[in-house]
Amino acid sequence: MGIRLRALQMAKDDKLKAPGIENFVASAGWCTGFMNRYGLCLRQRTKISQKLPKDLDEKVMSFHSFIIKQRKIHNYDLGDIGNMDETPMTFDLPSNRTVASLGDKTVLLRTTGNEKKHFTVVLSCLANGTKLRPVIIFKRKTLPKKVNFPPRITVRAHVKGWMDEDGTKKWLEEVWNGRPGAALKKKPSLLVWDMFRAHTSDDIKILAKSSQVTLAVIPGGLTSVLQPLDVCLNKPFKDRVRKMWCEWMSSGQARLTKGGNMMKPDIELIAKWVRDAWEEIPEDMVKHAFKKCGISNAMDGSEDSALYEDDSCDSDDCELCDNVYDDNLTPATAEALFGHTDEEEESSFEGF
């Protein structure tokens, strides 16, 4: 994508005008020919897959049995069945693939130097295809007062930059209980999420019960099989954010320090990318994700084939590591992942 994007930008540059350039579209075929002519190839970082438990089938069957039992008891509308997931993201989003000369052993990627500086994105959706308001959590003590964040996204600050029990309570009260029709219907609902410790505390269970929310906790190690967001949605969402980052990097919009180094994207721009990328996810993709995980399939078994369709997001640009939120975010892991604050980093840059 980087070569084609850069070629299109160069084609629009008046200094590089050539006869017929106005018809140039930077097609995939042109890109392949360009790479062959100049001895270029795609290089990819190694993928580390989630290790599945030995008793996979037994745990999956137990989870599906619980889902079916609850659906029979409560007869949920699809708009009352949902999934929530927290996922760490970085201020730099280089692709897992890049172009290099044939034979190169080491490949350098151009970034702003912030690919290890994380923030948390909380995504949630319903089995009827509805996408709920995303939440983004930056590692800060407070949010800057003069920043105008875009609408349709919740932006929060946290000293560690991750989701904790208080954040989960706020999410349940504001996002889940604020889903379309929830306040009027006051009906039971089913919420699927992983075993992250902030999802399974006694206070969270009490709050969920008081709101008539049944919690379906995915067994450890099985989010890549049973969590709709992990199976079908997180990757296309992150691909869209990455595309926006690549366009921003290529556009020359990044500000520079006095020393000439590129600054990371502003947090309001990150928030806009997250919101726009999430809103671009098709409704049908969300519906299919729940069926793929065996959560919203027709009770008569007519849609069970969706479970076995080989169309999950197991492609080259999948995340390189397991989602640290999936089972239990330990203090040591969290500190290694979120071991900085945006405020600290900003103060170290010249020119702020």
Side-chain angles (χ1 to χ4, degrees), residues 266-283:
D266 294 329
I267 57 176
E268 58 266 41
L269 182 58
I270 291 285
K272 182 180 184 301
W273 289 346
V274 167
R275 182 204 64 184
D276 291 350
W278 184 231
E279 291 182 351
E280 286 179 10
I281 298 296
E283 183 177 298

Side-chain angles (χ1 to χ4, degrees), residues 249-270:
M249 284 287 290
S250 301
S251 68
Q253 297 178 30
R255 294 183 296 158
L256 301 178
T257 66
K258 292 180 180 179
N261 297 317
M262 295 179 67
M263 293 183 180
K264 66 180 182 294
D266 294 329
I267 57 176
E268 58 266 41
L269 182 58
I270 291 285

Side-chain angles (χ1 to χ4, degrees), residues 156-176:
R156 293 182 182 146
H158 186 280
V159 292
K160 295 294 185 180
W162 66 65
M163 187 75 143
D164 58 11
E165 188 174 317
D166 287 339
T168 304
K169 288 179 181 178
K170 289 180 181 178
W171 181 87
L172 279 170
E173 293 167 348
E174 298 172 7
V175 179
W176 183 252

Side-chain angles (χ1 to χ4, degrees), residues 16-298:
L16 302 174
K17 286 293 184 182
I21 195 69
E22 63 275 3
N23 298 320
F24 179 68
V25 295
S27 66
W30 171 86
C31 186
T32 300
F34 177 86
M35 292 175 63
N36 289 337
R37 285 193 298 275
Y38 291 95
L40 302 175
C41 65
L42 285 175
R43 295 289 297 275
Q44 181 177 323
R45 291 188 289 177
T46 303
K47 178 186 173 185
I48 303 173
S49 300
Q50 184 179 38
K51 185 177 181 180
L52 296 175
K54 293 181 180 179
D55 52 349
L56 168 67
D57 292 340
E58 181 181 340
K59 287 187 174 182
V60 169
M61 187 176 297
S62 176
F63 179 80
H64 283 157
S65 296
F66 176 81
I67 294 292
I68 292 171
K69 178 181 178 181
Q70 296 303 314
R71 290 183 65 189
K72 286 181 177 178
I73 293 173
H74 299 288
N75 192 28
Y76 302 112
D77 292 334
L78 292 183
D80 294 319
I81 300 174
N83 176 219
M84 182 268 256
D85 185 34
E86 304 95 339
T87 185
M89 295 188 69
T90 60
F91 283 90
D92 274 336
L93 293 162
S95 175
N96 294 333
R97 283 183 171 184
T98 190
V99 175
S101 298
L102 289 170
D104 283 355
K105 294 183 179 180
T106 302
V107 180
L108 300 179
L109 297 177
R110 187 187 181 211
T111 69
T112 68
N114 292 279
E115 60 271 15
K116 292 186 178 180
K117 297 177 176 64
H118 291 77
F119 55 90
T120 295
V121 173
V122 185
L123 299 177
S124 50
C125 51
L126 306 177
N128 65 358
T130 300
K131 300 183 295 290
L132 302 181
R133 174 188 289 257
V135 177
I136 187 168
I137 306 170
F138 292 109
K139 185 174 181 181
R140 307 176 62 98
K141 294 179 181 178
T142 59
L143 293 174
K145 296 180 180 179
K146 296 183 179 180
V147 172
N148 294 317
F149 291 106
R152 304 189 304 281
I153 184 170
T154 298
V155 181
R156 293 182 182 146
H158 186 280
V159 292
K160 295 294 185 180
W162 66 65
M163 187 75 143
D164 58 11
E165 188 174 317
D166 287 339
T168 304
K169 288 179 181 178
K170 289 180 181 178
W171 181 87
L172 279 170
E173 293 167 348
E174 298 172 7
V175 179
W176 183 252
N177 289 340
R179 70 189 186 280
L184 297 176
K185 292 184 290 187
K186 293 184 178 180
K187 292 170 56 180
S189 60
L190 177 68
L191 176 58
V192 177
W193 58 15
D194 54 49
M195 293 183 67
F196 174 48
R197 59 184 178 181
H199 297 169
T200 56
S201 70
D202 290 340
D203 286 348
I204 292 298
K205 292 177 181 177
I206 292 171
L207 178 60
K209 186 176 181 180
S210 68
S211 301
Q212 299 188 72
V213 181
T214 298
L215 300 178
V217 180
I218 298 169
L222 287 177
T223 56
S224 63
V225 177
L226 297 173
Q227 176 138 267
L229 280 157
D230 270 355
V231 173
C232 292
L233 303 176
N234 281 346
K235 181 195 177 298
F237 161 73
K238 290 186 176 182
D239 283 348
R240 285 163 169 78
V241 178
R242 181 177 290 112
K243 181 175 183 291
M244 296 173 191
W245 177 84
C246 289
E247 291 173 347
W248 175 79
M249 284 287 290
S250 301
S251 68
Q253 297 178 30
R255 294 183 296 158
L256 301 178
T257 66
K258 292 180 180 179
N261 297 317
M262 295 179 67
M263 293 183 180
K264 66 180 182 294
D266 294 329
I267 57 176
E268 58 266 41
L269 182 58
I270 291 285
K272 182 180 184 301
W273 289 346
V274 167
R275 182 204 64 184
D276 291 350
W278 184 231
E279 291 182 351
E280 286 179 10
I281 298 296
E283 183 177 298
D284 287 344
M285 185 185 291
V286 177
K287 293 178 181 178
H288 177 71
F290 280 85
K291 290 182 171 61
K292 176 70 178 175
C293 295
I295 295 171
S296 64
N297 311 62

Side-chain angles (χ1 to χ4, degrees), residues 323-336:
N323 188 342
V324 296
Y325 284 98
D326 284 349
D327 299 321
N328 196 2
L329 183 63
T330 65
T333 302
E335 190 61 31

